[in-house]
Amino acid sequence: MTEHYVSDAPYDPEADRQVLDRADLDAATWVLVWRRFRRHKLGFACGIFLALVYLALPFVGFLAPYGPNEIHEDSINAPPQGVFFTHAGSWVGPSTYAVEMVPDRDTFTMREVVDDTKPMPLRFLAACGKPHEFLGLFETRARLICPAEGGTFHLLGTDRLGRDIFSRILWGAQLSMTVGLIGVTVSFVIGLVLGGMAGYFGGWIDATVQRAIEVFRSLPELPIWMALSAAIPVNWGPISVFIMISVILGLLDWPGLARAVRSKFLALREEDYVKAAELMGAKPSRIIRAHMMPNFMSHLIASATLAIPAMILGETALSFLGLGLRPPAVSWGMMLNDALNLTAVEIYPWILTPMVPVILVVLAFSFLGDALRDALDPYS
Amino acid sequence: MTADAPLLSVEDMSICFGRPGISTNVVDGVSFTVSPGEVVAVVGESGSGKTLTGKALMGLLPRGAGVSGGRAMFRSGKGGHCDLFRCTRRELRALRGTSISMIFQEPMSALSPLHTVGDQVEEMLRVHESISGSACKGRVLDMFGEVGFPDPERAWRAYPFELSGGLRQRAVIAMAMIANPRLVIADEPTTALDVTTQAQVLDLITRLQRDHRMAVIMITHDLGVVANMADRVVVMRRGRIMEAGPVREVLHQPGHAYTRALIEAAPHVPDTMPTRTPMPDDAIVTVRNLNKTYPGRSRSFGPPDPPVQALADFSLAVGRGETVAVVGESGSGKSTVAKLMLRAECPDPGGVMTFRGRDGVVLDIPSLKGGELDAFRRKAQMVFQDPYAALSPRMSVMDILTEPLLIHGICSRKERKDRAANLMRRVGLAPSHLGRFPHAFSGGQRQRIAIARALALQPELLVCDEPTSALDVSVQAEVLDLLEELKEEMGLSYLFISHDLAVVARLADRVAVMRRGHVVEEGPAETVFGDPRHPYTKALMAASPDPDCNQKLDLKLVAAGAGKPESWPEPFAYSGTAPPLVEVTPGHRVRRQAA
């Protein structure tokens, strides 16, 4: 190196002024958020999974082999039925064997006897079973999977009334998955209004809301849920009960969201661009609508995503205790209600399978929420 | 300068984010050497890679970044060499602290808030040397004395939050120095400090460097610091070295256009100021005897803290078409002036603050309401300090620029768009950028957009709150030029808030210097700069480093004026109530005891 080194690189300040500094960030915020979200492979996969599940909900009647409350007297507490592709060394396609439940005189339980002489191929896109309403438009017997004529198809076994657990899990998803959405909407509205008021006006409103939140947080959750659900009139229909349960879950969950809204409000009020809008003469309503809302809505969506699992678990817990939804409605929690009996769990462990979708959905929401939260600050 | 073998020689160093080969280098082919006992300054603007260079040498690169080429040969104690980029962790640990140590930019985050300063500095010794407790403490106390703690014993027991910013940085320096390293990497050690504190800390580093004969790599953006400290200088831009050499040659005969631009852009107080026209009688803003107190923090138990007086007996007039600068360090009340003048906050009752627009209507700012307030908002606008925070990330540039018009319901949709395009051209940006979002732009570009937004309503008064302190030096000069052009063209009046007298020197017509809520000196720019009377003003001027090797910092002047008001020389000293402003020459007023 020479004592005084001068590089021959050019320098043009005029061009510097026009050139984009961060060409990689040259897009609207939502595009940047989306790009960044896509990089979270797990969160992205969970998002797709949840989207598929929600899209499938209206078509459960078509997807499930049986109706939710269809009783099969011949196969009570039947274990999961295997699906075979070959029979005696030759390809037969997905098929089941006929199963007969016979009393076992030694153990005093029902024992399954599989007749593996004759394969019974499953039928796809066929008509079978009792008619179901397709999207509430018309009745049809068309189904994605049908057991063979005269055969059965209990993929995950049946419960103590001989109802197909696999079909009931699909049907139960309708209520179990929507309870979270309705609950979060309720808590979102309450949280947004109360938290926003507390954050914007401050003073005694803030103090009151804060104290109310602290009181709510100190209440033991489960007894309150139970008391409130017990107060739902017995003669209400299953749908009304379902909505009430969602609302109850939402009513008890708003403090977390209200706090998030309040703290975001307080933080945003101090931002220079909000001050700039104030000094431009913008009215409070405009400041909230045009400057604060877009900047905190995304954060709230992430918070809400993380709140949905709590709702789903809440519904499951209530129904498990027999205080949530009532038959003939089906939900995952109600199915697990059968598992209250320890002996039954020991002998028929497959009645616990509704736990699997609960775990999957709750995990998916958590991963999705985490990925969203991380993607929401895409400027670095 | 020692001509013997270099202590550290960096050869062809490259740093990249991501995997080598597929990503572009953010530092590319950088080579320099550091001899024992030499100060090498690495100077550059943001994005130049100067900080990464320093961090790479310490093995502190952020996650995702890695050295992709080159080597850094460090001569270790026994005469052997070792490559800092290929050391094992254990070897690196042994070097850190004892042979190479680092002084960080932000002293508050470089010190742990849960441990006393003494403990933290002592840890450095305990890790590297087997030394008894009392001997250890003795050495730390000696070091504290050396870095200028007035009471080393007290500093030993103090927690970082109990110390002022300057003392905290002294503690960080003590920590870096305690194990007698042969090379210290100082990463912008004074950027977070006030100007007067900066001068004292720079002086301390120079003194320590001489006394201990250690080498220093000084990473900085400030050529003034370079001129005062360095033996040799490396100018970096976008990860490459633009120019390197002895500091005198580089600063006085710069070879590269970029270095020339940097030197030209560096703010400095000129020796002679042009005489400006006296203040016109037509004042756009008149402030008299204004006070602002903030209530003290309330405590859960016991009485609240006493109220804080942010502004005391403040009087100022801004003439139409004039630029009035309010200068002061942090806590001087200068930003409070801006907030009050734009009615972001209300002053204490009493005092006068009126705005007189071009239409001749006099508005009493503190009592404005409704339509009058709207009218006032149209005429007075603000440019904020941090261009990254001042623009909403969810709005496109078009939305940002048309918003003020939309709020006041001025002109049609089409006209608004035309105006936005004109504004962009006016601040030197292409109108084709209108559809883009703020995060794609650099700090300087964003500040231009922020200025365009402030101008959208065609105001008469623009309050600029440190509009360039977050920007690079070369960009700062451009933005100041732009502000000056706009003033001429649109007949604006400026209230310019700054912590830096040198920045203000080039555009202010009148200057008010503030300290702890009081104006200590006020007058036309040429008299304040040409004939400063108050010790604090003198200190501020002396503390601002010039990019000129022949003008070193005058620390006597800094020390005389930087302290508390009690320590100022007569007749300026006071304790308790401040003396009045006394007019020394026409229009030039100084706060001092009446003769």
Side-chain angles (χ1 to χ4, degrees), chain B residues 195-473:
Chain B
V195 194
T196 49
T197 321
Q198 155 170 314
Q200 287 158 350
V201 170
L202 287 180
D203 175 61
L204 170 68
I205 296 177
T206 316
R207 225 175 46 230
L208 289 173
Q209 181 262 332
R210 267 193 220 123
D211 293 353
H212 294 253
R213 276 195 45 78
M214 57 177 188
V216 174
I217 297 179
M218 187 86 184
I219 295 167
T220 179
H221 66 280
D222 189 343
L223 280 176
V225 171
V226 175
N228 271 286
M229 303 273 303
D231 299 315
R232 283 194 305 121
V233 58
V234 174
V235 183
M236 285 183 72
R237 179 168 182 265
R238 303 216 178 136
R240 288 167 183 276
I241 292 182
M242 291 292 117
E243 185 162 355
V247 70
R248 247 168 217 288
E249 281 180 37
V250 173
L251 289 188
H252 294 279
Q253 293 127 37
H256 197 275
Y258 179 65
T259 319
R260 276 198 293 279
L262 270 189
I263 294 171
E264 211 153 287
H268 66 282
V269 181
D271 297 331
T272 52
M273 302 268 294
T275 317
R276 318 222 176 178
T277 46
M279 184 197 145
D281 291 336
D282 180 16
I284 184 164
V285 178
T286 313
V287 185
R288 267 202 306 276
N289 311 108
L290 208 63
N291 288 287
K292 174 72 186 172
T293 32
Y294 291 102
R297 195 150 37 122
S298 59
R299 298 168 177 278
S300 329
F301 299 101
D305 290 346
V308 181
Q309 181 136 39
L311 207 60
D313 192 26
F314 181 78
S315 300
L316 184 81
V318 182
R320 197 174 301 285
E322 210 184 24
T323 302
V324 174
V326 175
V327 183
E329 295 183 310
S330 49
S332 64
K334 59 188 191 305
S335 294
T336 309
V337 174
K339 285 183 203 152
L340 293 180
M341 207 169 273
L342 288 172
R343 246 301 286 279
E345 282 173 15
C346 280
D348 296 350
V352 181
M353 184 162 59
T354 54
F355 178 89
R356 190 163 165 277
R358 226 168 261 144
D359 49 12
V361 180
V362 177
L363 302 169
D364 176 40
I365 298 174
S367 65
L368 288 173
K369 269 197 208 68
E372 278 190 326
L373 184 60
D374 280 347
F376 171 69
R377 295 266 185 247
R378 273 204 288 276
K379 289 172 190 160
Q381 279 295 317
M382 174 144 178
V383 178
F384 288 83
Q385 171 174 10
D386 182 0
Y388 290 85
L391 305 174
S392 169
R394 300 296 166 118
M395 293 169 95
S396 68
V397 176
M398 174 65 95
D399 289 340
I400 289 170
L401 293 187
T402 52
E403 208 208 355
L405 303 171
L406 201 67
I407 289 172
H408 290 276
I410 307 172
C411 57
S412 68
R413 204 185 159 81
K414 168 90 179 49
E415 234 177 300
R416 281 200 295 266
K417 286 189 172 174
D418 290 346
R419 275 215 203 176
N422 281 335
L423 283 169
M424 282 295 267
R425 269 193 288 275
R426 191 58 218 81
V427 297
L429 294 173
S432 57
H433 287 323
L434 274 172
R436 298 206 148 88
F437 285 78
H439 34 255
F441 297 99
S442 68
Q445 289 167 330
R446 287 189 211 202
Q447 196 60 294
R448 283 169 192 271
I449 296 170
I451 291 172
R453 174 179 65 186
L455 295 175
L457 289 168
Q458 300 175 325
E460 296 172 31
L461 173 71
L462 210 57
V463 175
C464 306
D465 187 2
E466 305 238 19
T468 59
S469 62
L471 304 177
D472 280 329
V473 187

Side-chain angles (χ1 to χ4, degrees), chain B residues 59-79:
Chain B
L60 292 177
L61 283 179
R63 251 182 64 169
V67 175
S68 57
R71 50 185 203 156
M73 301 309 287
F74 184 74
R75 189 148 57 85
S76 50
K78 296 156 206 100

Side-chain angles (χ1 to χ4, degrees), chain B residues 96-114:
Chain B
R96 284 179 187 160
T98 51
S99 295
I100 311 178
S101 66
M102 189 145 185
I103 300 171
F104 294 92
Q105 173 173 359
E106 190 49 75
M108 195 61 198
S109 53
L111 293 170
S112 156
L114 291 179

